[in-house]
Amino acid sequence: MHYIVITGGVISGLGKGTITSSLSYLLKNSGFKVTNIKIDPYLNYDAGTMNPYQHGEVFVLNDGGEVDLDLGNYERFLDTDLTSDSNITTGKIYKEVIEKERRGDYLGSTVQIIPHITNEIKSRIKKAAKDYDIALIEVGGTVGDIESMPFLEALRQMKSEKENNMIFGHVTLVPESGNEQKTKPTQHSVKELRAIGIQPDILFCRSEKKLNEESKKKISLFTDVSENGIISVYNVRNVYQVPELMEKQNILGYVRELFGFDDHELNYTLKDFVENIKKPKEEVTVAIVGKYVDMEDAYISHKEAFSHVTGNTGIAVNIKWVNADNLINNIEELIDVDGILIPGGFGYRGVEGKIIAEKYARENKIPYLGICLGFQVSVIEIARNVLNLKNANSTEFNENTEYPVIALLPEQEKIKDLGGTMRLGSKKVLINKNTLAHEIYNSDIIHERHRHRFEVNPEYIKKFENSGVVFSGTDDEKIRMEILELKDNDNYIATQYHAEFTSRPLNPSKVHLYFIKKSLEYKKKRGKIYERSVE
Ligand code: GLN
């Protein structure tokens, strides 16, 4: 089995996920069967309960796993569906070990970090990697963190096991001071890695501009990493430029050399895509109205879906991040945008602002895409202002609302106290013929990922339908409403599912693509009657 471990040093947030994904892309497109594993050393069992402010978006897999957003990156670059086995956390490891201890599996021995925890880590990694040629393992956090120690120790041990071929890659920062690139942080970071018994084979050096020859020589001398293994990952505009940037420095040749692989030809599929991103022909500005807008990673899958649209159409998408709460007294921030997207969310904060944004889009026929909570916001706003159900709401936000247009289904109510009523993962969506959704998807059945508890209250469906609302998609029992559109407005669509999670570079989310095309049409139609904000 072949493994490539990617660790990080100096500071967090250097783009380890993008580097891991880009290398995965290159290897997969050279003919290898590749998978990714993300190690998150925190104690949480999974990302499900984590606040987006701290870790960014909670990504959802087909199997319903709520995982780190890096798994989204892997899926997009590898164009594959991963499972929850690809996200290993300290929480999962300890839970398993303690359960085994309680069952008596350890036959009375003292249960310790080495070997019990490390063995559990190794067995999880091997299980996730077993059907592949190469597994790339990204270790979250930075080397030196207490939490990641057992994982690095397990990986160090794996290197000496005969059946494993392992390469260690380390992501570091080369900052600039004056005009000089500074290599000292990299030297120190590698020293730290060596202190725990790991000698890196590859260094991915993050810097503003390309690493100069002098810095490269110096780093190589101090770290014992061959100059061929020092890859300069300088800043580029878009993450999808990174595979090409790394391959220009012959990363594949170097990895092949380390593993002793024969030559493989690379089928580089992103050429036109990247060209469109670098030189777009058109541009639109769309608002994302949310409550975590100063943490853009909280909505990373939407950003990525828009990149996919740009790569396929040459329409650049400027995102205007709008804090929903700011709209309550003043919708000025929405005046200059060509489209409005309301993403998913939990809790009442921001909801009234989102309702204002949706109403503004609906009444002015500005292109609108509502996703999950954005779909529920549509239902609430239309109930209030079209059906005249005053103060209609979701029972998530007001349990005693007179008009609970969004609510738990009766069977969910029964098990409410047990928790775990969240509807998660990929589910079948049936699309009705002769609807906008059918036109967009050109299919009767799609599979999309979900993460929500509340549903359109079945008692109100008829009322909505009598007022120009079309529920054009449902679940396969036809109980849950999945897609909402308006009879007289083809600029408007909302989905209960998270279309952004399945968007892929060469196969963008169909509703995001449609939304951007409509935004461009809208922009052209109304001409340049407003000052555009350029970000
Ligand atoms: N809070 C809503 C629900 O639980 C929507 C969830 C979401 O947008 N992901 O149903």
Side-chain angles (χ1 to χ4, degrees):
M1 188 61 211
H2 294 80
Y3 297 96
I4 302 178
V5 178
I6 310 276
T7 55
V10 189
I11 56 170
S12 61
L14 286 178
K16 245 187 316 187
T18 301
I19 289 169
T20 307
S21 302
S22 298
L23 183 53
S24 306
Y25 168 87
L26 291 169
L27 288 163
K28 179 180 174 180
N29 286 280
S30 318
F32 295 102
K33 273 179 79 184
V34 177
T35 194
N36 283 115
I37 299 166
K38 173 77 195 283
I39 290 175
D40 282 311
Y42 47 65
L43 274 163
N44 303 57
Y45 184 81
D46 63 23
T49 56
M50 292 174 106
N51 184 325
Y53 261 133
Q54 285 179 25
H55 285 270
E57 169 185 280
V58 177
F59 191 75
V60 180
L61 301 173
N62 276 349
D63 66 9
E66 298 174 276
V67 293
D68 185 82
L69 59 80
D70 271 321
L71 276 91
N73 285 323
Y74 308 153
E75 284 202 339
R76 292 185 277 265
F77 276 87
L78 278 179
D79 192 14
T80 197
D81 297 327
L82 296 171
T83 68
S84 303
D85 285 345
S86 278
N87 199 186
I88 301 175
T89 62
T90 298
K92 284 185 189 171
I93 299 289
Y94 274 74
K95 184 166 183 280
E96 182 73 32
V97 168
I98 290 169
E99 276 169 10
K100 281 186 181 162
E101 186 272 333
R102 292 289 81 187
R103 279 202 307 263
D105 290 7
Y106 298 121
L107 305 173
S109 57
T110 310
V111 181
Q112 294 180 297
I113 292 190
I114 304 172
H116 299 93
I117 293 291
T118 45
N119 283 349
E120 187 62 38
I121 293 169
K122 289 196 274 187
S123 87
R124 292 236 173 188
I125 290 174
K126 289 173 188 169
K127 180 176 169 231
K130 78 176 186 318
D131 298 326
Y132 297 88
D133 300 327
I134 308 171
L136 286 91
I137 307 166
E138 179 186 345
V139 185
T142 38
V143 168
D145 296 347
I146 289 178
E147 283 106 327
S148 56
M149 287 302 187
F151 292 101
L152 293 171
E153 169 59 17
L155 291 161
R156 186 197 65 77
Q157 291 174 12
M158 278 176 72
K159 186 166 173 127
S160 54
E161 292 171 4
K162 251 210 242 58
E163 68 275 19
N164 300 329
N165 288 294
M166 297 191 74
I167 294 177
F168 285 86
H170 189 57
V171 181
T172 74
L173 177 69
V174 179
E176 233 172 66
S177 169
N179 256 341
E180 215 186 318
Q181 292 179 327
K182 294 289 183 189
T183 63
K184 193 69 80 181
T186 300
Q187 295 175 35
H188 277 293
S189 180
V190 171
K191 210 162 126 192
E192 191 130 20
L193 201 55
R194 283 169 142 184
I196 50 180
I198 295 172
Q199 164 64 39
D201 306 289
I202 310 176
L203 293 178
F204 298 96
C205 298
R206 293 281 293 111
S207 55
E208 218 159 286
K209 295 194 212 95
K210 198 167 177 191
L211 202 62
N212 61 41
E213 281 310 307
E214 194 194 331
S215 310
K216 204 178 227 187
K217 283 205 166 62
K218 205 162 163 191
I219 292 172
S220 174
L221 184 69
F222 277 99
T223 61
D224 287 337
V225 175
S226 139
E227 275 185 49
N228 295 337
I230 297 179
I231 306 295
S232 168
V233 188
Y234 47 93
N235 286 354
V236 282
R237 203 153 90 189
N238 190 283
V239 293
Y240 295 104
Q241 292 168 252
V242 177
E244 190 188 16
L245 174 160
M246 296 202 319
E247 182 48 11
K248 279 197 173 138
Q249 299 170 60
N250 195 24
I251 177 99
L252 278 174
Y254 185 63
V255 168
R256 280 199 301 265
E257 189 187 315
L258 291 174
F259 276 150
F261 288 148
D262 296 338
D263 275 5
H264 280 71
E265 206 175 319
L266 171 67
N267 173 22
Y268 181 63
T269 54
L270 293 174
K271 191 165 179 295
D272 296 340
F273 181 94
V274 167
E275 211 42 44
N276 274 334
I277 283 178
K278 282 192 195 156
K279 294 194 195 91
K281 295 177 274 298
E282 312 267 8
E283 66 162 351
V284 294
T285 300
V286 298
I288 294 187
V289 181
K291 65 176 172 182
Y292 300 116
V293 288
D294 35 11
M295 167 64 167
E296 292 179 16
D297 269 357
Y299 305 105
I300 183 173
S301 290
H302 288 292
K303 264 172 72 175
E304 291 299 314
F306 288 143
S307 280
H308 305 161
V309 173
T310 307
N312 285 275
T313 60
I315 309 170
V317 181
N318 303 314
I319 300 174
K320 180 165 182 176
W321 300 97
V322 176
N323 185 334
D325 279 341
N326 293 349
L327 296 173
I328 291 184
N329 301 314
N330 185 355
I331 57 156
E332 207 144 278
E333 285 189 70
L334 295 179
I335 299 267
D336 58 356
V337 300
D338 308 313
I340 295 173
L341 182 148
I342 301 188
F346 290 82
Y348 186 50
R349 188 168 69 77
V351 168
E352 292 302 329
K354 290 174 190 174
I355 287 175
I356 290 168
E358 182 278 341
K359 181 166 184 272
Y360 177 70
R362 184 178 62 78
E363 289 179 340
N364 295 289
K365 296 204 173 167
I366 300 166
Y368 176 76
L369 178 59
I371 298 275
C372 207
L373 179 62
F375 166 95
Q376 298 178 359
V377 158
S378 294
V379 172
I380 297 168
E381 188 277 318
I382 292 169
R384 289 183 187 176
N385 297 309
V386 180
L387 274 56
N388 288 319
L389 304 175
K390 215 165 159 251
N391 298 325
N393 216 332
S394 161
T395 53
E396 179 182 3
F397 312 132
N398 177 2
E399 256 192 274
N400 305 314
T401 174
E402 197 177 341
Y403 303 111
V405 287
I406 300 284
L408 295 178
L409 295 178
E411 72 251 34
Q412 286 176 298
E413 277 292 349
K414 275 184 244 146
I415 53 167
K416 198 167 142 192
D417 290 344
L418 302 174
T421 54
M422 188 99 94
R423 188 162 174 252
L424 284 168
S426 182
K427 312 271 178 217
K428 201 190 266 179
V429 177
L430 308 180
I431 303 182
N432 298 336
K433 291 210 164 51
N434 303 317
T435 59
L436 177 61
H438 203 277
E439 201 181 294
I440 292 173
Y441 283 99
N442 193 21
S443 177
D444 300 334
I445 298 173
I446 55 171
H447 291 86
E448 290 287 344
R449 297 184 188 173
H450 295 72
R451 181 173 186 246
H452 67 115
R453 279 196 182 82
F454 294 85
E455 306 282 351
V456 178
N457 186 339
E459 285 176 29
Y460 289 87
I461 290 175
K462 270 269 138 350
K463 280 203 182 83
F464 280 106
E465 286 175 340
N466 292 337
S467 306
V469 167
V470 179
F471 289 111
S472 49
T474 63
D475 71 334
D476 54 358
E477 295 171 276
K478 302 203 181 218
I479 295 171
R480 299 173 177 87
M481 299 301 108
E482 290 275 12
I483 310 178
L484 181 156
E485 52 191 76
L486 300 175
K487 245 188 206 131
D488 61 347
N489 182 355
D490 66 357
N491 272 346
Y492 190 105
I493 191 142
T495 70
Q496 181 62 77
Y497 53 82
H498 286 274
E500 72 276 22
F501 289 151
T502 47
S503 187
R504 299 281 162 82
L506 301 180
N507 188 13
S509 150
K510 296 241 179 4
V511 283
H512 287 75
L513 178 65
Y514 180 79
F515 170 65
I516 294 304
K517 285 186 172 162
K518 282 288 167 189
S519 299
L520 182 64
E521 247 176 64
Y522 176 81
K523 174 187 164 185
K524 286 188 169 164
K525 225 184 280 169
R526 73 168 175 171
K528 207 174 173 347
I529 53 164
Y530 58 95
E531 276 300 304
R532 293 168 48 73
S533 72
V534 180
E535 276 165 297

